[in-house]
Amino acid sequence: MPLSLARATLLHEWPRFLPGVLSVAFAGILMLVQLGLLLGMFGTVSVLIDSSDAQIWITSPETQSFDESRDIPTSLGALIRSQPEIERSDALRTYDAEWRLESRVRVGVVLVGLDAYSDAPSCPEPMRTALCSRLAEPMAVVVDRAELDKLGAELGALAEINGHRVRVAGISQGLRAIGATYVFASTQTLRAISEAPLPDIDSATFILARIKPGTDLEALRDRLQNLLRPSAYRVWSREEFSTGTQRYWLTESGVGAGFLFSSLLGLIIGIVITSQTLRAVILASLREYATFRAIGVPSSKLGAVVLEQSLWIGIAGATLTLLLSALIVMLAHAFYIPLKLTGWAIFAAVVIGIFTAGISGLLALRALYKVEPAVLLR
Amino acid sequence: MNAGASVTARDLQHGYGEGAARTPVLHGLSLNFRAGELSLMMGASGSGKSTLLAILGGLLRPQSGAVELLGTSIWQLSARELERFRFHNCGYIFQGFNLFPALTAVEQVALPLLFGGERESQALKRARESLDEVGLAARMSLRPAQLSGGEKQRVAIARALASSPKLLFADEPTSALDSSNGEIVIALLQKIACEHGATVITVTHDPHLGKHAERIIQLQDGRIADDTLPSHAGSAATLISLPLTRPEPLS
């Protein structure tokens, strides 16, 4: 391996560099965990869209997010079924209700009404094997494992929704959302609970459809939108509706700005600590650097030593970030905390770690450039 | 430039501070040095000897006056040119040894050569030769913490020697050493002057070093008080030096 003053110093005096490495790692983890929580939490607001088997979603025209659609007529289902690419259409209904269990639990829930067969486009993926068909039993409901504590429920428990007795017929996994506690029921059960003198018994919150394999989804969506008039209904592809819902939550809630602010804060703290670390290392070797300046070694070459050190600090810090983040992700999964990390988020954390160290190196260079070899002769 | 002189200084003036608070350090000082000689500059603290060394060595710009090193008027060079000049022609030895704690002796010596663009194998080869010359062949792979003070100073000398400088500037090179290590170091400097034909200018206030020098310059209050050629001139046998004024003082 070629002789490198930067590396030799790092290895020989690693405790001096440790605060820098830790602060880079800290800034990275702060960003990554926040981003992971953000992605995880806001990923859950669209969980029913993402886990459905429907590539086409139809909502009321002003809808921006899953939780704020107004009812639309179920007859739309028949209309879109006339398109040859549509394999099956379905309706999904949501209804705000109150869950009671004995006298101790009272929770506001969102009742989700599905067609009670496992092949229904609206049946969420985690419920497809058995749970959707189990909803066919009158007054049967399914709740998510992550909500059991909140609902005080267990499999087979009897509870009341809006005064109607229901039975927990199944427990799903992975259908927890922030902002709403979902309780799944058949369309018939939902109608019974909502005690509809439903003027709009033939209405639903969403009409959705599964398309035949090989269909050009974008073209079909555009065609349906033309058919249904944009002023009356909005036609989405599943991905569009999902990202639209997540974006709406991110911007409307202000959490996005909070995330940016605290990540920036972490970044600044990381840069300050790392640059101070590097500065301290430079100051400790100031006379040696001054000697090299006397010999006639240009500042730029000595600066390259400091930048190489900062790069190694960045790499070490980013590696530590990745290791600790993996640990945190595992912990989060064990505790059903929605923390989700994507490839680009991890890539961004690595880049930001190295960037933090690089900026710190540049800031620390000032100490080096002030070195005057004549100080050695005073 | 004075014939035969490798270092010529003319009318150097320098002081610290400004206005009424200015303390003059050098008062129109002129002198020259020849290649192959070890010259000692001595004087009390504040006599201006270190300032003079810094100005002669191209590390401190004098407020007025000129310095010619090997025929080049160094204070007329740009900063970058001066850096390059120092890199190719000058070696420096300081009171503190200024070695990087993380590097072995051979790496300390090779590093400046690497910074100068030399290939690593060549730099290490020259570093080994240089350490061999200062008698540290067996200590090459040790770090500063494992070396004695005298050995550290010899590493610093080897570092200065590695680029074969024609001019060597040493500031109190023995003051941090015991007398026997001091002897070794000054004898090395004398050998460098003699065998490499280098101009070696050393600032010291150790009177025992006189016996190794070809010339002793006494500074007092920024002026040359005495400029002697010890009669032993190169022999360690004679300790008495006759105060002789240099035959061709600069006007």
Side-chain angles (χ1 to χ4, degrees):
Chain A
M1 227 179 193
L3 171 59
S4 146
L5 175 60
R7 221 173 37 239
T9 308
L10 273 166
L11 293 176
H12 188 251
E13 297 167 44
W14 64 267
R16 274 183 190 282
F17 293 91
L18 199 59
V21 172
L22 291 179
S23 65
V24 168
F26 162 77
I29 288 170
L30 187 69
M31 197 209 80
L32 211 51
V33 167
Q34 284 194 99
L35 193 62
L37 281 173
L38 212 62
L39 289 173
M41 286 191 324
F42 288 103
T44 68
V45 297
S46 61
V47 65
L48 294 186
I49 306 170
D50 298 323
S51 63
S52 75
D53 193 20
Q55 294 80 19
I56 292 283
W57 284 70
I58 302 172
T59 67
S60 56
E62 73 292 340
T63 301
Q64 287 181 290
S65 155
F66 178 85
D67 51 302
E68 54 146 32
S69 180
R70 278 188 303 109
D71 282 0
I72 53 178
T74 45
S75 57
L76 287 173
L79 185 67
I80 63 170
R81 261 202 304 281
S82 64
Q83 301 297 314
E85 297 95 330
I86 301 288
E87 187 187 294
R88 189 156 216 165
S89 80
D90 191 2
L92 185 74
R93 294 171 177 81
T94 59
Y95 177 73
D96 292 337
E98 187 189 59
W99 168 283
R100 279 194 192 199
L101 199 132
E102 293 161 6
S103 55
R104 59 193 164 90
V105 184
R106 287 175 78 157
V107 182
V109 298
V110 174
L111 200 57
V112 180
L114 312 162
D115 278 354
Y117 56 95
S118 53
D119 197 28
S122 59
C123 178
E125 198 278 326
M127 290 171 63
R128 230 165 271 163
T129 43
L131 297 179
C132 276
S133 45
R134 228 180 268 176
L135 294 178
E137 181 192 329
M139 305 313 275
V141 296
V142 166
V143 295
D144 197 75
R145 184 175 303 281
E147 309 282 21
L148 285 179
D149 279 352
K150 195 200 290 180
L151 297 174
E154 56 188 13
L155 188 61
L158 295 173
E160 273 181 23
I161 299 180
N162 286 11
H164 296 266
R165 172 138 299 202
V166 295
R167 194 178 73 85
V168 178
I171 290 165
S172 66
Q173 189 152 349
L175 291 177
R176 178 195 225 181
I178 57 158
T181 305
Y182 293 133
V183 173
F184 300 92
S186 68
T187 307
Q188 291 70 27
T189 305
L190 182 135
R191 279 182 181 153
I193 290 170
S194 60
E195 289 179 355
L198 283 173
D200 43 6
I201 196 148
D202 283 328
S203 72
T205 321
F206 308 98
I207 300 297
L208 30 101
R210 179 162 64 226
I211 60 176
K212 287 179 181 158
T215 303
D216 180 349
L217 179 59
E218 309 289 306
L220 176 64
R221 180 206 56 201
D222 293 346
R223 189 142 40 83
L224 289 174
Q225 185 67 80
N226 280 338
L227 199 68
L228 297 179
R229 278 192 299 119
S231 58
Y233 308 104
R234 174 146 185 201
V235 184
W236 308 70
S237 73
R238 179 171 55 195
E239 281 65 35
E240 264 180 345
F241 194 29
S242 172
T243 49
T245 297
Q246 290 182 34
R247 191 175 311 125
Y248 177 80
W249 274 71
L250 203 62
T251 49
E252 285 302 300
S253 62
V255 171
F259 159 75
L260 279 181
F261 178 74
S262 59
S263 289
L264 198 66
L265 205 65
L267 212 63
I268 290 170
I269 293 170
I271 288 174
V272 168
I273 296 177
T274 309
S275 68
Q276 287 302 314
T277 302
L278 282 165
R279 227 177 90 84
V281 175
I282 293 172
L283 292 179
S285 286
L286 208 57
R287 298 187 73 81
E288 288 76 35
Y289 281 119
T291 303
F292 275 52
R293 293 285 297 116
I295 293 170
V297 176
S299 298
S300 58
K301 294 208 172 177
L302 299 179
V305 172
V306 175
L307 289 183
E308 189 188 332
Q309 283 171 342
S310 63
L311 189 72
W312 285 113
I313 289 179
I315 290 172
T319 309
L320 200 59
T321 299
L322 294 184
L323 291 177
L324 291 176
S325 299
L327 196 71
I328 291 170
V329 168
M330 280 191 276
L331 280 176
H333 274 259
F335 290 99
Y336 302 107
I337 295 165
L339 189 127
K340 192 169 114 192
L341 288 179
T342 58
W344 66 262
I346 291 166
F347 177 73
V350 170
V351 169
I352 284 175
I354 293 171
F355 169 82
T356 306
I359 295 287
S360 312
L362 288 175
L363 288 175
L365 278 185
R366 282 183 312 160
L368 187 65
Y369 276 78
K370 277 196 224 151
V371 171
E372 277 297 329
V375 299
L376 297 170
L377 289 166
R378 273 172 209 155
Chain B
M1 168 178 165
N2 209 350
S6 53
V7 175
T8 306
R10 265 194 302 269
D11 199 22
L12 294 181
Q13 308 241 19
H14 199 77
Y16 295 109
E18 277 175 33
R22 185 174 187 275
T23 316
V25 179
L26 300 179
H27 301 274
L29 207 144
S30 295
L31 75 173
N32 55 27
F33 299 88
R34 283 207 306 254
E37 282 187 357
L38 168 64
S39 307
L40 294 185
M41 296 203 290
M42 305 178 84
S45 291
S47 60
K49 55 190 193 302
S50 286
T51 302
L52 178 58
L53 189 75
I55 291 173
L56 292 176
L59 302 177
L60 181 66
R61 181 181 289 278
Q63 281 158 351
S64 73
V67 175
E68 275 187 24
L69 301 182
L70 307 169
T72 303
S73 190
I74 58 165
W75 291 114
Q76 285 174 7
L77 299 175
S78 71
R80 187 72 196 96
E81 286 168 339
L82 179 57
E83 239 170 50
R84 223 171 283 147
F85 182 89
R86 293 202 309 258
F87 192 82
H88 289 115
N89 300 294
C90 304
Y92 301 86
I93 297 155
F94 301 104
Q95 181 179 356
F97 321 116
N98 304 342
L99 303 174
F100 285 101
L103 300 183
T104 62
V106 68
E107 289 168 342
Q108 308 275 2
V109 180
L111 196 60
L113 300 174
L114 286 176
F115 278 127
E118 201 148 323
R119 275 190 304 124
E120 185 158 339
S121 56
Q122 184 64 23
L124 288 172
K125 182 169 165 279
R126 280 174 67 181
R128 283 190 207 100
E129 288 166 3
S130 201
L131 283 166
D132 195 21
E133 186 167 358
V134 300
L136 287 179
R139 316 283 281 165
M140 285 189 197
S141 51
L142 298 184
R143 292 202 170 82
Q146 299 160 304
L147 297 170
S148 72
E151 287 171 331
K152 281 187 241 187
Q153 193 58 299
R154 278 145 71 194
V155 173
I157 293 172
R159 178 171 64 187
L161 274 188
S163 55
S164 314
K166 296 173 197 71
L167 309 167
L168 197 58
F169 301 91
D171 181 46
E172 306 274 10
T174 61
S175 68
L177 306 178
D178 59 41
S179 58
S180 64
N181 271 307
E183 282 287 323
I184 294 172
V185 163
I186 197 72
L188 258 175
L189 293 179
Q190 192 184 21
K191 185 176 144 209
I192 292 162
C194 188
E195 290 180 9
H196 294 246
T199 310
V200 182
I201 304 173
T202 301
V203 160
T204 185
H205 51 244
D206 182 352
H208 299 297
L209 302 185
K211 61 188 173 186
H212 290 278
E214 275 78 21
R215 182 180 172 195
I216 299 172
I217 298 159
Q218 291 285 348
L219 287 179
Q220 200 173 355
D221 298 331
R223 292 186 178 87
I224 297 174
D226 199 9
D227 191 346
T228 59
L229 297 172
S231 62
H232 62 270
S235 111
T238 322
L239 286 170
I240 302 161
S241 63
L242 291 172
L244 282 177
T245 311
R246 212 166 157 69
E248 296 170 26
L250 286 165
S251 54

